[in-house]
Amino acid sequence: MTVLEQGQIQIHTENIFPIIKKAVYSGHEVFLRELVSNGVDAISKRRMAAMAGDCSEGEEGKIQIRIDRENKTVTISDNGIGMSRDEVKRYINQVAFSSAEEFLEKYKREDDAIIGHFGLGFYSSFMVAAKVELVSLSARPEGEAVRWSCDGSPNFSLEEGERDAPGTDIILHMQEEELEYIEPARIRALITTYCDFLPVEVQLEGETVNKRQAPWRQSARDLNDKDYIELYRYLYPFQGDPLLWVHLSTDYPYNLQGILYFPKLTGRGDWEKGEIRLYCNQVFVSDSIKEVVPRYLLPLRGVIDSPDIPLNVSRSALQTDRRVRSIGGFVAKKVGDRLKQLHRDEPERYNEIWEGIAPFIKIGAMEDEKFAEQVADLVLFGTTAESAFTTLADYRSRLPADNDKRVLYCTDEAGQAGPLALWKGQGAEVLLADSLIDAQFIPWLEARHEDLTFRRVDAELDESLQEEDSGITDAEGKDSSEQLRSLFKEALANDKVTLQVQALKGESAPAALILLPEQMRRLNDMGALMEQRLPGLPDHHVLLINRRHPLVEGVLKLSSGAVITGGGTSPTRQLADELTRHIYEMARLSVGGLEPQELAGFQQRSADLMGRLMQRGF
């Protein structure tokens, strides 16, 4: 075989290959993505050149991958435009010189038909190969096959080659430590990961592996619900069906297509890395795009495909700039538009999926002012009224004129059942804000509506929930409220508990309630959130005693009838004190204020107390 030329690859350092292996690419497996992408580029170039009459058209484009386990080689072949001797010297020997821009300059058609933007793509093969051979035949008239080879040093050889049809073969002689790539299953997995949606057939040992069709590159008018759901199930198997999807498409000021899905979040969503997949002209690049989309949209799933997102030389990391921030704003606006459309056109469907999309909307509103303006009328709350959900505006429209600036809300229907029942008993409508994020969202919402006051049902009780009676006065002139306050103060012996005595309306009003002043409770909730713990009952809280409750009335009578003996407190007064403490512990229990280690003691004390009361009854 005639040696046409020998020489050194034109590089700017003595040996670029260690740099490629250690610094340029984060994972060795991307060599297949780069070489297949180059092959697809070559096929696109041939099609465009053939349309211009500069070369033969050839058969339908195809990438073929063959494995020779005995000789430890992997061959990637394409039937694209191929290269002449001069082109091999120019495009292969001059590292970091990409032919894509020069080619597009000559054939100005579809920019995204050319995937490659980096001359280093071919050299990713040296991450896994001890020696690389390239055999190419140009599709242009009078082309002659050439063979190029290099063993990973700056030295190369260029010889006459043998190839029957235009195209290029890249033969990788695999390194001993990279023999995983001569396993068909491994190559198949890489094709599925990186090349699944390329528009050209990618075959492994004669069998087509990739899907080829990328639905996000089609018009939304050409897709139905089944098409969207099928793509989601393919990308995210065994994850259930999505709640909603958003089709993205724009060609100005950048080219971008994609489909984003709102998933059913079964646990904590990934708010740091995300699950959206980034593609560049249908080539998978990364599944971490936190630089592109706002943080509150990271748990969305789906695909964003754009050749205009700036990537580093290995196409493995994003480079943040003004364009990236603009793309993030575009994505957020399209998501907001889609939510508004669903709320307007399909309100029942919107209500059905609200709990699934609420975290995205609430966090997004708090973090992004523009997004907050978009979704201002889309935030729903559960309500104690007949309707399942309501907006804040609709809730305000139903408030009585004398209380149209107060918003009542409940964060735990079980834990706040007592005060909630009191408010409902007086005909008040209460919003249900029972998600974890509401601890931050309610104060944020209040700050946006300075004319409103948001009050949790257990913050304080106003006069509308109290009876107007003066209570009973004892021989010393103390009314029943003062007597009960003294009784509870002595029995509890806890200065951190503020005691209030009121006569509450309604037969179902409990004996006592734990109240948490709004601002104090918010500080406690915020501290718990920062420390990543559940917000327990603060040490400082209010115990409201309902003097109209039969149990409280009985305790008062019991204490009033106690006889003080020379030995100290009488058994009757001791029983009254135990009942007093029992009432307080029941109030704590109702709001989850008893620690697990306290529950066993509470149960034992309750049983003992019931036993003593039974003995007195007989």
Side-chain angles (χ1 to χ4, degrees):
M1 186 176 294
T2 304
V3 177
L4 300 175
E5 187 171 343
Q6 291 182 328
Q8 282 198 325
I9 300 170
Q10 296 179 31
I11 51 180
H12 299 295
T13 181
E14 180 60 28
N15 195 338
I16 197 172
F17 300 110
I19 298 175
I20 291 173
K21 292 179 181 180
K22 295 181 180 179
V24 174
Y25 291 94
S26 56
H28 288 191
E29 66 182 31
V30 298
F31 81 92
L32 191 74
R33 176 193 73 186
E34 298 299 306
L35 297 181
V36 171
S37 297
N38 287 348
V40 174
D41 279 350
I43 290 169
S44 298
K45 289 177 180 179
R46 183 173 184 179
R47 185 183 72 250
M48 294 164 69
M51 292 172 64
D54 290 347
C55 73
S56 60
E57 186 172 344
E59 300 176 355
E60 183 179 354
K62 185 183 301 182
I63 305 291
Q64 295 181 307
I65 302 174
R66 299 183 299 278
I67 296 173
D68 185 338
R69 300 180 70 175
E70 182 177 347
N71 293 311
K72 301 177 183 178
T73 64
V74 176
T75 302
I76 297 97
S77 302
D78 67 70
N79 58 350
I81 197 167
M83 288 181 284
S84 66
R85 172 189 169 189
D86 288 341
E87 288 171 327
V88 169
K89 290 171 63 178
R90 186 188 314 163
Y91 301 144
I92 300 300
N93 290 347
Q94 295 180 16
V95 175
F97 182 87
S98 176
S99 64
E101 287 187 18
E102 178 184 339
F103 193 89
L104 280 174
E105 192 63 31
K106 182 176 181 181
Y107 302 101
K108 289 187 175 178
R109 293 184 180 276
E110 343 162 30
D111 285 3
D112 63 356
I114 304 299
I115 295 170
H117 291 287
F118 308 105
L120 283 178
F122 168 76
Y123 281 90
S124 65
S125 56
F126 285 96
M127 293 191 300
V128 296
K131 178 183 177 182
V132 176
E133 294 181 88
L134 179 149
V135 179
S136 189
L137 174 61
S138 175
R140 291 186 172 88
E142 301 180 0
E144 295 182 357
V146 294
R147 175 182 291 270
W148 176 95
S149 65
C150 178
D151 62 1
S153 72
N155 300 310
F156 72 92
S157 68
L158 189 60
E159 307 169 344
E160 291 181 350
E162 295 181 4
R163 205 177 197 281
D164 295 333
T168 300
D169 302 323
I170 298 173
I171 305 105
L172 308 179
H173 298 262
M174 307 304 290
Q175 302 171 22
E176 288 298 323
E177 61 269 28
E178 305 288 352
L179 292 182
E180 63 180 283
Y181 298 113
I182 64 171
E183 297 297 330
R186 184 75 170 105
I187 296 297
R188 179 181 294 272
L190 294 180
I191 295 171
T192 301
T193 297
Y194 293 104
C195 311
D196 211 11
F197 297 99
L198 280 172
V200 172
E201 249 184 285
V202 181
Q203 295 186 344
L204 175 61
E205 304 294 354
E207 179 187 354
T208 301
V209 177
N210 62 327
K211 289 177 66 69
R212 297 181 63 184
Q213 279 292 99
W216 61 86
R217 300 297 290 264
Q218 298 176 244
S219 168
R221 293 188 298 271
D222 298 330
L223 300 174
N224 55 38
D225 290 356
K226 182 180 178 182
D227 296 323
Y228 287 108
I229 292 173
E230 282 184 355
L231 175 63
Y232 183 83
R233 290 174 178 173
Y234 181 75
L235 294 175
Y236 306 97
F238 311 112
Q239 299 294 310
D241 289 345
L243 300 171
L244 177 69
W245 49 85
V246 183
H247 197 120
L248 307 172
S249 182
T250 184
D251 55 13
Y252 182 81
Y254 35 73
N255 191 313
L256 182 145
Q257 292 83 36
I259 300 172
L260 298 182
Y261 296 90
F262 283 86
K264 293 179 180 177
L265 295 179
T266 55
R268 294 187 63 182
D270 187 348
W271 300 91
E272 299 304 325
K273 180 184 175 185
E275 298 188 64
I276 300 172
R277 303 184 181 190
L278 176 63
Y279 285 73
C280 178
N281 290 330
Q282 298 165 248
V283 179
F284 174 72
V285 172
S286 175
D287 57 4
S288 176
I289 60 167
K290 59 184 179 181
E291 296 89 348
V292 177
V293 301
R295 189 183 75 92
Y296 56 88
L297 296 181
L298 282 177
L300 294 183
R301 295 173 179 168
V303 170
I304 290 178
D305 188 340
S306 174
D308 292 330
I309 294 178
L311 303 171
N312 66 353
V313 73
S314 67
R315 294 196 284 186
S316 61
L318 302 176
Q319 297 177 344
T320 304
D321 66 0
R322 184 180 301 176
R323 179 177 292 180
V324 168
R325 290 190 291 272
S326 175
I327 288 175
F330 166 78
V331 171
K333 183 180 184 306
K334 288 300 180 183
V335 169
D337 289 344
R338 180 70 177 96
L339 292 169
K340 289 170 68 175
Q341 178 193 36
L342 185 69
H343 183 261
R344 180 187 66 243
D345 299 341
E346 301 179 64
E348 292 184 3
R349 172 64 178 154
Y350 186 87
N351 290 356
E352 286 177 11
I353 67 172
W354 165 248
E355 291 186 359
I357 63 178
F360 302 98
I361 294 177
K362 291 178 179 179
I363 293 176
M366 290 189 289
E367 294 187 352
D368 184 340
E369 181 61 29
K370 289 183 178 179
F371 189 75
E373 293 174 0
Q374 274 193 288
V375 301
D377 298 324
L378 308 183
V379 177
L380 301 184
F381 292 95
T383 172
T384 56
E386 293 183 3
S387 56
F389 291 102
T390 183
T391 63
L392 181 60
D394 289 342
Y395 172 83
R396 293 185 65 177
S397 69
R398 296 190 293 270
L399 290 175
D402 58 341
N403 256 325
D404 62 347
K405 304 299 182 184
R406 183 188 64 192
V407 178
L408 289 172
Y409 69 98
C410 170
T411 59
D412 182 350
E413 289 186 78
Q416 295 150 28
L420 179 61
L422 287 174
W423 286 110
K424 289 171 63 178
Q426 299 307 308
E429 181 181 355
V430 179
L431 298 182
L432 305 179
D434 51 7
S435 66
L436 288 176
I437 194 62
D438 285 328
Q440 298 176 70
F441 187 69
I442 292 296
W444 176 87
L445 199 60
E446 187 175 44
R448 289 182 67 87
H449 297 273
E450 296 180 354
D451 59 327
L452 295 179
T453 298
F454 286 72
R455 182 187 299 172
R456 206 168 83 172
V457 290
D458 59 349
E460 56 184 82
L461 304 181
D462 65 16
E463 295 178 356
S464 66
L465 303 180
Q466 303 172 27
E467 294 282 7
E468 295 182 3
D469 64 25
S470 58
I472 304 170
T473 304
D474 66 3
E476 298 179 2
K478 289 184 178 180
D479 64 24
S480 57
S481 294
E482 293 176 351
Q483 296 172 53
L484 285 168
R485 189 177 293 107
S486 297
L487 177 62
F488 274 79
K489 182 177 179 62
E490 291 179 22
L492 299 184
N494 187 346
D495 292 336
K496 295 179 180 178
V497 179
T498 301
L499 300 172
Q500 293 182 8
V501 181
Q502 295 177 5
L504 300 180
K505 292 180 179 180
E507 296 300 322
S508 62
L513 293 170
I514 297 291
L515 299 182
L516 302 173
E518 187 73 19
Q519 296 307 317
M520 179 189 297
R521 180 192 52 74
R522 289 187 187 182
L523 289 173
N524 179 68
D525 290 350
M526 191 60 65
L529 187 66
M530 293 176 65
E531 296 173 13
Q532 296 186 333
R533 58 175 174 81
L534 293 175
L537 179 64
D539 292 336
H540 293 271
H541 50 266
V542 175
L543 176 65
L544 185 145
I545 304 150
N546 178 15
R547 66 171 182 256
R548 289 189 66 249
H549 194 279
L551 179 56
V552 175
E553 291 176 342
V555 170
L556 185 59
K557 290 178 181 177
L558 194 63
S559 66
S560 299
V563 178
I564 300 178
T565 64
T569 306
S570 70
T572 301
R573 179 54 187 264
Q574 288 179 354
L575 182 60
D577 287 346
E578 289 180 28
L579 281 168
T580 297
R581 287 189 287 268
H582 183 72
I583 291 171
Y584 173 55
E585 288 187 320
M586 285 196 302
R588 289 177 61 198
L589 181 65
S590 70
V591 297
L594 286 181
E595 298 295 331
Q597 63 270 22
E598 295 180 289
L599 288 173
F602 171 73
Q603 292 173 335
Q604 184 62 50
R605 289 191 296 274
S606 297
D608 293 344
L609 183 58
M610 295 303 105
R612 293 179 62 186
L613 290 172
M614 292 291 290
Q615 289 176 357
R616 288 180 66 91
F618 293 101

